[in-house]
Amino acid sequence: MALRLRLGPRQYVRQPDRQHPYLHDRKLVGWDPTMSEQETADAAAGWWRVGPKSERERYAVAVGEGVVRLVMAIKKWELDETDGRRAFHYAILRPGDPVHDRLIGRPDPVRTESRNPVAYFQDEADLGVCNCGCGTLVRGDWAVGHDLAALHRIVTHHFDGQILRFTNWCGEQGYPVPPPPSETAGGKPSASTRESAR
């Protein structure tokens, strides 16, 4: 997902806020057409009342007057522990970047009546290609079940389908198969342990 930051009308930052260690020297928040890209990025970078979920996002868009005005890659988040708000370090995306070109100048990607300026939306940049080589677009490393299918193909192709040969090879590489748990989380013997004790 990506982060949508809706900017209100341009305002000047109070003098004490200009001294903040993460967003120092910015003079403006909000947005209007006279602001530069840098001023817009600084205005959008913080401070926002968002939870840890936001730190998983890779991109943020600054929306002014209902239109995406700037697209940024999120580099790192900072937490102001005095009030719990967050701000992020960024890189402004330029023409030619596929995420920039897909989003810049478009209407607000989040259609909601909520007054919350922060929202999340799905974007193609969140998708990757399944690592098994099938070409499926996924939100993660594997399409469902394809990780086990890939492991099965490895064993079939490189170890003649013999799991024991595969596990022995893992042990030779320093990754032996760990022993099965002998107890459940509740501290009682597992079913397999009870059977072997009979």
Side-chain angles (χ1 to χ4, degrees), residues 104-164:
I104 197 71
R106 301 275 183 169
D108 187 341
V110 180
R111 300 187 179 186
T112 176
E113 299 299 320
S114 171
R115 298 179 64 181
N116 190 339
V118 180
Y120 301 88
F121 67 97
Q122 301 283 359
D123 182 69
E124 291 178 24
D126 300 321
L127 300 178
V129 179
C130 179
N131 281 277
C132 82
C134 67
T136 303
L137 294 179
V138 294
R139 207 170 303 280
D141 296 326
W142 306 91
V144 175
H146 288 207
D147 50 351
L148 294 179
L151 184 60
H152 176 75
R153 292 203 302 274
I154 289 172
V155 173
T156 299
H157 182 78
H158 296 290
F159 300 94
D160 297 325
Q162 299 180 39
I163 295 291
L164 182 59

Side-chain angles (χ1 to χ4, degrees), residues 13-83:
V13 176
R14 298 178 305 162
Q15 185 62 38
D17 291 341
R18 296 184 189 180
Q19 307 307 315
H20 197 284
Y22 304 139
L23 295 174
H24 63 282
D25 293 336
R26 69 171 181 168
K27 299 178 175 61
L28 300 169
V29 292
W31 181 84
D32 77 11
T34 68
M35 292 171 62
S36 68
E37 281 190 337
Q38 189 64 57
E39 288 172 330
T40 302
D42 286 344
W47 292 91
W48 303 103
R49 296 191 183 281
V50 293
K53 173 184 175 182
S54 62
E55 299 192 10
R56 298 197 296 266
E57 310 310 329
R58 296 188 294 159
Y59 300 98
V61 299
V63 172
E65 296 182 355
V67 175
V68 175
R69 306 295 178 176
L70 194 71
V71 185
M72 296 165 285
I74 298 173
K75 297 299 185 181
K76 178 184 176 183
W77 282 90
E78 304 284 3
L79 173 65
D80 186 338
E81 296 187 1
T82 62
D83 60 10

